[in-house]
Amino acid sequence: VPAPAMYGATTNGADPQQVETTATRPDMKVLDIDASTAEYAQFSVAFPKSWNAGTVTYQVYWTPGSTNTGNCIFGLQGVSCTEGDTADVAFGTAVEVTDAGIGTVKDQQITSESGAVTIAGSPAAGELTYFQLFRNANDGSDTFSADARVLGVKIFYTTDAANDA
């Protein structure tokens, strides 16, 4: 899920930016997530019918906003809704992953794969799943002192069918 497909939450939303590397080279569309305030980005996914409706895992693609090498803690939580359900429902329990800044601005980083994220709302085929990504700026172990510039998120899921027929 690329950063341009995500949006800052209405409350404490991540800040969309376009970062130029060098003229006529790739620009990066990012979501800046602050070091001192919990900020959130959201997106939704309609999983294929072959998804087993179980837990998912994820990796965050990001680039440092400074040369700091401290730890950055990301979290992800989700909830599925079916036809007739309200979307005004709480996300499931967040699962966090920690990645240390590599000290080079504009270098791409990829976190390790997270633990299992349980999606709230009794997920089933055909439902829309809402996700919320955040940086846990309130955790004393998050020592990366600048914006974490999120490039995207990779979602891993298990299938239980050969196709979506």
Side-chain angles (χ1 to χ4, degrees):
V1 181
M6 300 180 204
Y7 49 91
T10 301
T11 301
N12 292 358
D15 185 24
Q17 297 289 325
Q18 181 163 318
V19 178
E20 184 176 45
T21 54
T22 300
T24 70
R25 294 186 182 172
D27 284 353
M28 296 182 291
K29 294 279 192 175
V30 302
L31 287 168
D32 281 354
I33 301 182
D34 196 63
S36 60
T37 304
E39 292 182 333
Y40 303 88
Q42 298 182 359
F43 60 95
S44 57
V45 174
F47 283 103
K49 288 190 249 178
S50 58
W51 175 43
N52 74 352
T55 60
V56 299
T57 59
Y58 70 97
Q59 289 178 301
V60 178
Y61 290 72
W62 68 291
T63 185
S66 79
T67 58
N68 184 274
T69 57
N71 287 331
C72 192
I73 302 174
F74 296 100
L76 186 73
Q77 52 196 152
V79 62
S80 283
C81 297
T82 192
E83 184 175 3
D85 281 354
T86 179
D88 186 5
V89 62
F91 285 103
T93 302
V95 172
E96 296 179 345
V97 63
T98 301
D99 198 37
I102 56 177
T104 306
V105 175
K106 299 180 187 171
D107 276 10
Q108 181 172 286
Q109 293 193 228
I110 306 169
T111 67
S112 59
E113 189 174 338
S114 73
V117 177
T118 299
I119 297 170
S122 303
E127 295 184 350
L128 190 62
T129 301
Y130 298 90
F131 287 98
Q132 180 163 259
L133 177 72
F134 62 92
R135 178 172 173 190
N136 194 345
N138 299 321
D139 187 319
S141 296
D142 185 318
T143 56
F144 186 74
S145 62
D147 283 349
R149 300 188 132 170
V150 173
L151 299 163
V153 175
K154 181 189 281 187
I155 304 288
F156 298 91
Y157 60 92
T158 302
T159 60
D160 61 4
N163 59 51
D164 289 326

